[in-house]
């Protein structure tokens, strides 16, 4: 509920499971005791940019036992002398104030932590779905080997049948050639025989003349 001109938390609903609440850049000046009543499990609270001026207003947050990070940046209370030490002494349950702990170590980005956890969960799910490595590769190899063997046998059968057909055709061609040659020889012999038969007759006719 950031930057919505909120002046009071009196109408805040009960959100017992809420852990992170953004109330920055509003006009809130007090009434923070409502947070402990309605949102008792808050771990992160951002009140930066509001009208909080004194430690008495923040004292109401002592009842948020699970609060770890509080942001009061750009509130008037930050202008108080020993502001940080006073807040850490008043709210001993918190670890980070305005993004830093008491030793000025920066707080980790909560969004980055959530993303990393989500990525780890996704990686675990991917590994579970993937199954043991190499299992599917071996099955694929076996399938490929069987298909290659089948194709080789088919090619061999086709090659043999093709060669046998060629041999049969060659034999038929040879027979046709021999028969044609024989017909030609018989034809030639017949013509010669006719000529030989005619020669004596022609000679007899010539003698009678």
């Amino acid at each position: 509920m950031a930057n919505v001109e909120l002046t009071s938390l009196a109408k805040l609903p009960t959100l017992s499971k809420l852990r992170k609440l953004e109330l920055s850049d509003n006009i809130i000046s007090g009434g923070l005791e409502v947070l402990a009543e309605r949102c008792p499990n808050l771990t992160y609270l951002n009140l930066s940019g509001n009208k909080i001026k004194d430690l008495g207003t923040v004292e109401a947050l002592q009842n948020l036992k699970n609060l770890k990070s509080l942001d009061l940046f750009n509130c008037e209370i930050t202008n108080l002398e020993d502001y940080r030490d006073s807040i850490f002494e008043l709210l001993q349950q918190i670890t980070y104030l305005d993004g830093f702990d008491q030793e000025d170590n920066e707080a980790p980005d909560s969004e980055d932590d959530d993303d990393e956890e989500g990525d780890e969960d996704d990686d675990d799910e991917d590994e579970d779905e993937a199954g043991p490595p190499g299992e599917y590769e071996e099955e694929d190899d076996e399938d490929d080997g069987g298909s290659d063997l089948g194709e080789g046998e088919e090619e061999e059968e086709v090659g043999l049948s093709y060669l046998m057909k060629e041999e049969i055709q060659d034999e038929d061609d040879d027979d046709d050639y021999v028969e044609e040659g024989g017909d030609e020889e018989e034809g030639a012999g017949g013509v010669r025989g006719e000529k030989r038969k005619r020669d004596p007759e022609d000679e007899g006719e010539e003698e009678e003349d």
Side-chain angles (χ1 to χ4, degrees):
M1 296 184 289
N3 196 19
V4 293
E5 299 183 359
L6 194 64
T7 59
S8 172
L9 298 175
K11 295 183 178 181
L12 186 70
T14 299
L15 302 168
S16 58
K17 295 182 179 180
L18 188 67
R19 297 173 62 83
K20 181 177 180 179
L21 180 60
E22 292 276 356
L23 295 171
S24 60
D25 300 320
N26 285 295
I27 316 172
I28 299 170
S29 58
L32 300 183
E33 63 274 0
V34 176
L35 292 173
E37 296 174 4
R38 311 281 175 82
C39 307
N41 290 312
L42 284 180
T43 59
Y44 173 88
L45 177 62
N46 188 349
L47 290 168
S48 62
N50 279 281
K51 304 298 181 180
I52 298 172
K53 300 179 180 180
D54 53 58
L55 294 174
T57 304
V58 178
E59 188 176 359
L61 299 178
Q62 287 179 334
N63 293 325
L64 288 172
K65 303 301 182 181
N66 296 319
L67 189 64
K68 300 299 178 185
S69 180
L70 175 65
D71 194 347
L72 296 172
F73 186 72
N74 280 343
C75 292
E76 290 185 35
I77 192 174
T78 61
N79 296 324
L80 295 177
E81 187 178 357
D82 297 328
Y83 151 71
R84 290 182 61 81
D85 292 338
S86 299
I87 294 294
F88 277 116
E89 184 178 352
L90 182 66
L91 304 175
Q92 296 183 5
Q93 78 271 33
I94 69 171
T95 304
Y96 299 102
L97 175 63
D98 299 334
F100 294 87
D101 64 11
Q102 284 183 284
E103 285 76 30
D104 291 332
N105 296 315
E106 188 174 2
D109 192 335
S110 58
E111 293 182 358
D112 290 344
D113 293 342
D114 293 340
D115 292 341
E116 289 177 1
E117 291 177 1
D119 292 341
E120 289 177 358
D121 293 340
D122 293 340
D123 292 340
D124 293 340
E125 290 177 1
D126 293 340
E127 289 177 359
D128 293 340
E129 292 176 0
E135 179 179 350
Y136 297 105
E137 293 178 0
E138 292 179 359
E139 291 181 0
D140 292 341
D141 293 341
E142 290 177 0
D143 292 340
D144 293 341
S147 60
D148 292 342
L149 180 59
E151 290 176 0
E153 290 177 353
E154 289 177 1
E155 290 177 359
E156 184 177 355
E157 290 177 1
V158 172
L160 288 172
S161 60
Y162 181 75
L163 290 174
M164 291 174 68
K165 287 180 181 179
E166 279 194 346
E167 290 177 359
I168 292 169
Q169 289 178 356
D170 291 342
E171 290 176 0
D172 292 342
D173 292 341
D174 292 342
D175 293 341
D176 293 341
Y177 178 76
V178 172
E179 289 175 359
E180 290 175 359
D183 291 343
E184 289 177 358
E185 289 178 359
E186 288 176 0
V191 172
R192 290 175 186 171
E194 289 177 0
K195 286 183 179 179
R196 290 176 182 175
K197 289 177 181 178
R198 288 178 183 176
D199 287 345
E201 293 177 356
D202 292 341
E203 290 176 358
E205 290 175 359
E206 287 178 358
E207 287 177 357
E208 289 176 359
D209 291 341

